[in-house]
Amino acid sequence: MKENQIINHFIFQTKFGYSIIFYKKSPFLLTKIIFPKKTKKNKRQNYKPHQAAIIVSKTIIDYFNGTPVHLLRPSWEWLDAGGLTELQKSVYSATAKIPFGKLSSYKEIAEVINRPGAYRFVGTTLAQNPFPILIPCHRVIRSNNTIGRFAGGTNLKIKMIEFEKEIVAKFNFKPLLSNHF
């Protein structure tokens, strides 16, 4: 099997639990990020991870320590978007532009991508987000201001939203739009 087809993983600990990133080595491409879990699964790691995997893991760790990801975010070049449609990419791109500590609705994202009736498509696409945290799907809620569903669980989504609001309030942080996506 070619090295660019082998999926590697890297397990690391955040304040919210253990997270895993899956990636291809050559060229480096993230294929999936798993939200933090309280316990570490029995996945062994007997090799030194790719340097870019370490950078991504530090970005995620920094996020859970209160640093807005858009200040550290890897570029699209590191995200394996090969299996995504152009419309899905537009949803992820619009979602990536939601500032740290702010929220948007599925309907607003649908309007941004010029598909105002496609809010269910937006929800479905975000439910399949392979790059959570880097593409902050937790910042998207329903138009009636309820949380909506979340791959990492509703409790984690609420914690992440509250966490970001606390950081913004504590440091009087002024969100900036990302230009990486």
Side-chain angles (χ1 to χ4, degrees), residues 124-154:
T124 301
T125 299
L126 292 178
Q128 300 168 3
N129 179 6
F131 313 112
I133 302 166
L134 300 181
I135 297 175
C137 53
H138 63 279
R139 296 183 191 146
V140 184
I141 61 173
R142 293 178 177 155
S143 295
N144 65 3
N145 289 326
T146 58
I147 293 298
R149 295 185 181 161
F150 189 60
T154 304

Side-chain angles (χ1 to χ4, degrees), residues 10-20 36-38 40 57-58 60-62 64-65:
F10 181 50
I11 302 169
F12 56 97
Q13 189 168 6
T14 74
K15 268 175 126 170
F16 285 40
Y18 291 94
S19 193
I20 306 173
K37 307 279 186 218
K38 291 286 181 196
K40 184 178 177 182
S57 70
K58 286 181 180 179
I60 294 169
I61 291 166
D62 287 348
F64 285 110
N65 287 331

Side-chain angles (χ1 to χ4, degrees), residues 84-102:
L84 302 175
T85 67
E86 289 305 313
L87 192 54
Q88 288 171 318
K89 288 177 190 178
S90 70
V91 169
Y92 293 139
S93 180
T95 302
K97 293 175 183 171
I98 302 169
F100 186 91
K102 299 289 184 186

Side-chain angles (χ1 to χ4, degrees), residues 68-122:
V69 170
H70 74 269
L71 298 176
L72 307 165
R73 183 188 331 245
S75 71
W76 273 114
E77 295 163 1
W78 282 9
L79 306 181
D80 187 358
L84 302 175
T85 67
E86 289 305 313
L87 192 54
Q88 288 171 318
K89 288 177 190 178
S90 70
V91 169
Y92 293 139
S93 180
T95 302
K97 293 175 183 171
I98 302 169
F100 186 91
K102 299 289 184 186
L103 300 175
S104 188
S105 71
Y106 299 104
K107 184 178 179 181
E108 289 169 330
I109 298 295
E111 290 168 354
V112 166
I113 66 167
N114 295 316
R115 304 284 176 114
Y119 51 89
R120 287 183 186 215
F121 174 81
V122 170

